[in-house]
Amino acid sequence: MIHIQEVAKQVYDLAASDDPLAPLVKEALDVIDEGLDACGENRVSISFNGGKDCTVLLHLFAGALGKRRPASEYTSPIPAIYIGVPSPFPVLEYFIQDAAKDYNLDLFYCRPPQEDSIETVVTPAASAITKGRDYLHPLPGPRGVGKAKGGEGMRQALEMYKVRFPHINGILIGTRRTDPHGDRISSRCPTDEGWPRFDRINPIIKWTYANVWSFLRQLNIPYCKLYDEGYTSLGSTYNTFPNPALLVTPSENPNTPPLPSASSIISPTTALATVMSNTHATPQLDALSPTDSDEAPNGNDHPAAFSLPPQYHPAYMLKDDHLERAGRGLSIPSVAV
């Protein structure tokens, strides 16, 4: 288990330093402190789904609490809610369990009853050549992430949480501007009409994708290992895939891979249509099939070689924030949501 007083020293020292992250860290801590003052220190929870943004937020929240609480109270649990999705990644749920132990979370696991809580994302506009299916070559104009479905499941989950923990009236959320509907909210705002009443507290709303990874790596904070396998945005196994912009091409040296660029990466349409991680519900068996030229000589029925599974750069190597969600959305026609 971490000591939140040690985390407090770490994050507040960073906020007071000359590091480029310092202003963002200081602002985030101020937003958390204002939320704790307004709602009550024991009345604020954190929405934690194991993603990179929530992991940053959890560390900041622990630091803010550590500064307020005397050392004798560091074992007090931190209120938290995990809103599950249909068909979650097992490795992500293991990470959530580990984080709950490390940060001493009083974690309420809530799976919405409706299966339509799976998020679906309308992809950004793309070039005419790829007929709207290529994330890497968008047409000129706004580059938002598109619309997302899944809000009803979250509303139901928050209703369940409010019934179970009526004293909680503020929830920390790791939303950023580039997230779906992130441009519509501020650092602190109430829930919409028709939703259970909470103050939504968004301390890292102004952070970029690069800021998130700088914070995690600079402070050596553990994160879900899926991000080391090319995933850049996590959801259900039905709609989450390695980011095509991070695909390692055959010409790259695996020992010293260059930073990927949009102009040198194969079309994500091709990548997502032919490649599927073995962590998904439907494994990509074709990746283990021999090619026509792989047949062994002398009538041997066993193939001489197999095609290797694709390799991806880690998430922190993605340099274009607009491609963060390029691995999200439907790519398997048989999956209906």
Side-chain angles (χ1 to χ4, degrees):
M1 185 189 304
I2 67 162
H3 290 250
I4 60 176
Q5 278 73 30
E6 295 177 3
V7 175
K9 184 178 187 313
Q10 183 187 52
V11 296
Y12 279 94
D13 283 352
L14 177 57
S17 71
D18 295 328
D19 191 279
L21 278 176
L24 287 171
V25 173
K26 182 180 185 306
E27 181 180 43
L29 291 169
D30 287 344
V31 170
I32 294 173
D33 279 327
E34 291 169 3
L36 290 171
D37 288 338
C39 300
E41 185 174 312
N42 297 319
R43 295 176 177 271
V44 175
S45 179
I46 180 173
S47 176
F48 185 70
N49 64 6
K52 60 189 184 301
D53 302 328
C54 292
T55 302
V56 167
L57 186 57
L58 177 58
H59 203 72
L60 290 169
F61 189 27
L65 291 174
K67 186 178 181 182
R68 289 168 168 258
R69 295 177 179 177
S72 60
E73 296 181 9
Y74 81 89
T75 55
S76 299
I78 298 175
I81 176 175
Y82 166 42
I83 302 177
V85 297
S87 187
F89 286 87
V91 66
L92 179 62
E93 298 221 309
Y94 288 135
F95 171 74
I96 292 171
Q97 293 174 15
D98 290 341
K101 294 177 182 177
D102 291 340
Y103 287 87
N104 192 24
L105 300 184
D106 180 14
L107 185 64
F108 179 73
Y109 180 93
C110 179
R111 186 182 298 279
Q114 288 199 3
E115 285 298 301
D116 66 357
S117 60
I118 302 175
E119 178 196 63
T120 59
V121 178
V122 178
T123 66
S127 65
I129 296 176
T130 55
K131 304 184 186 301
R133 299 186 64 187
D134 191 336
Y135 289 88
L136 298 184
H137 304 94
L139 291 170
R143 302 178 69 184
V145 296
K147 300 177 181 179
K149 184 182 76 174
E152 177 60 21
M154 181 172 289
R155 185 186 65 80
Q156 294 175 4
L158 291 178
E159 286 179 345
M160 296 167 64
Y161 191 56
K162 192 68 171 179
V163 171
R164 179 66 177 81
F165 300 95
H167 68 286
I168 297 294
N169 52 32
I171 297 183
L172 293 169
I173 302 172
T175 300
R176 294 184 289 113
R177 287 282 182 228
T178 53
D179 292 329
H181 311 300
D183 58 342
R184 305 179 185 177
I185 60 177
S186 59
S187 58
R188 197 166 135 236
C189 53
T191 49
D192 297 334
E193 184 178 353
W195 285 58
R197 303 308 297 168
F198 290 104
D199 267 4
R200 293 179 294 179
I201 306 168
N202 307 287
I204 62 171
I205 189 69
K206 297 180 182 178
W207 289 42
T208 66
Y209 180 88
N211 295 149
V212 167
W213 281 111
S214 293
F215 184 84
L216 290 173
R217 301 187 73 219
Q218 186 169 320
L219 300 187
N220 197 29
I221 300 170
Y223 55 82
C224 179
K225 67 180 183 179
L226 286 174
Y227 290 115
D228 288 334
E229 299 173 8
Y231 292 82
T232 54
S233 178
L234 302 180
S236 168
T237 62
Y238 295 141
N239 69 348
T240 306
F241 305 88
N243 195 318
L246 292 173
L247 185 65
V248 177
T249 61
S251 61
E252 292 177 329
N253 184 336
N255 296 320
T256 56
L259 296 180
S261 63
S263 61
S264 64
I265 303 298
I266 68 170
S267 165
T269 302
T270 301
L272 291 184
T274 59
V275 176
M276 187 174 182
S277 168
N278 59 10
T279 58
H280 288 74
T282 306
Q284 178 67 19
L285 299 179
D286 291 341
L288 298 179
S289 300
T291 62
D292 292 339
S293 60
D294 289 332
E295 295 299 330
N298 302 322
N300 191 334
D301 291 334
H302 297 285
F306 294 90
S307 58
L308 296 175
Q311 300 296 315
Y312 292 85
H313 297 280
Y316 56 79
M317 290 183 68
L318 186 70
K319 299 304 178 184
D320 187 342
D321 282 18
H322 295 97
L323 299 180
E324 176 182 353
R325 297 177 68 89
R328 297 292 292 274
L330 297 178
S331 67
I332 306 302
S334 61
V335 176
V337 297

